[in-house]
Amino acid sequence: MPRKGGGLHPVHIDPGVIGNHRRIRLSPQHRVVVRVKAGAARRDVFVSAKHLAEEYGGTIRSAEGIRKVEFFNLFLDRHEVILAEGAQVESLYPGPETKKVPGLDLAPPIRAQHQRLLGARTASEIERAYGPPAREVMNRRELRQAIATGRLCLRPPSSPDVSGYPRATGSQTGLGRINSIVIPGSRGAVVRPH
């Protein structure tokens, strides 16, 4: 998925696979909500689109034939679960991997809302400055185990629709454009834990 020359191949997800109404394409590191069963208990966790494409395959795959792509990210006051075409996905989490994306300049929205984030480099510094991820993050090993044991549910319960994106900023990359939509003080377009 990281493309030679610094670009990123998006992950293509067919309609209905993770609760999405239409086909969606996400950046490889973008995380989606899946449900993991443990006996009678269930928990919603994040897993990266890249890991789903590599481990699950088929209806979730790397869109390697794409020459140009435009990614849109929501940067909120804190990390949240939001809806993308009906699928539960994460808002932008400005973690160490996000800061490595070529051409993505988070300085203007961060400067406006989260000044302490500008100097944060490690995961723990970022968490202290911005807060923790909105859900537990499942790694590749845990995903493999959940798939192998039949405990993975790709479609968590549906949630209310999300609308209204007041302002967008963008920056160019080698493969296309990345847009960060900044909603200062907004918590209305989020999905709360069940």
Side-chain angles (χ1 to χ4, degrees), residues 2-3 5-9 26-30 69-73 90 92-107 170-180:
R3 184 178 182 189
L8 302 171
H9 288 295
L26 300 173
S27 64
Q29 295 300 331
H30 204 94
V69 67
E70 190 171 21
F71 294 116
F72 291 86
N73 295 289
E90 69 175 337
L92 181 67
Y93 189 77
E97 291 302 311
T98 304
K99 291 184 172 195
K100 294 178 187 174
V101 174
L104 180 60
D105 181 14
L106 289 175
S171 58
Q172 294 289 17
T173 68
L175 183 59
R177 189 170 172 83
I178 297 176
N179 292 282
S180 296

Side-chain angles (χ1 to χ4, degrees), residues 42-54:
R42 290 167 170 68
R43 71 185 205 279
D44 293 348
V45 298
F46 281 130
V47 65
S48 76
K50 172 178 132 177
H51 290 165
L52 280 175
E54 292 171 352

Side-chain angles (χ1 to χ4, degrees), residues 22-175:
R22 297 188 295 198
R23 173 190 71 196
I24 58 175
R25 290 190 177 129
L26 300 173
S27 64
Q29 295 300 331
H30 204 94
R31 295 178 288 208
V32 302
V33 175
V34 297
R35 179 158 284 178
V36 179
K37 297 177 259 176
R42 290 167 170 68
R43 71 185 205 279
D44 293 348
V45 298
F46 281 130
V47 65
S48 76
K50 172 178 132 177
H51 290 165
L52 280 175
E54 292 171 352
E55 301 299 331
Y56 197 82
T59 55
I60 304 173
R61 61 195 174 278
S62 175
E64 294 182 17
I66 302 294
R67 289 183 165 308
K68 191 173 184 179
V69 67
E70 190 171 21
F71 294 116
F72 291 86
N73 295 289
L74 293 176
F75 181 74
L76 303 172
D77 285 344
R78 66 178 184 202
H79 195 226
E80 299 281 5
V81 175
I82 58 174
L83 296 179
E85 299 295 346
Q88 294 183 33
V89 302
E90 69 175 337
S91 63
L92 181 67
Y93 189 77
E97 291 302 311
T98 304
K99 291 184 172 195
K100 294 178 187 174
V101 174
L104 180 60
D105 181 14
L106 289 175
I110 289 173
R111 198 172 290 118
Q113 296 292 318
H114 299 280
Q115 185 68 32
R116 294 183 323 175
L117 253 177
L118 289 175
R121 298 286 177 248
T122 67
S124 61
E125 289 174 349
I126 291 166
E127 191 166 321
R128 279 194 302 274
Y130 186 66
R135 299 284 184 281
E136 175 186 342
V137 178
M138 177 183 275
N139 64 34
R140 184 189 309 267
R141 182 186 52 77
E142 294 165 331
L143 176 62
R144 282 182 186 150
Q145 186 177 30
I147 291 170
T149 58
R151 297 180 303 115
L152 183 70
C153 175
L154 292 178
R155 293 186 63 165
S158 60
S159 300
D161 286 336
V162 177
S163 61
Y165 303 101
R167 183 178 61 148
T169 60
S171 58
Q172 294 289 17
T173 68
L175 183 59

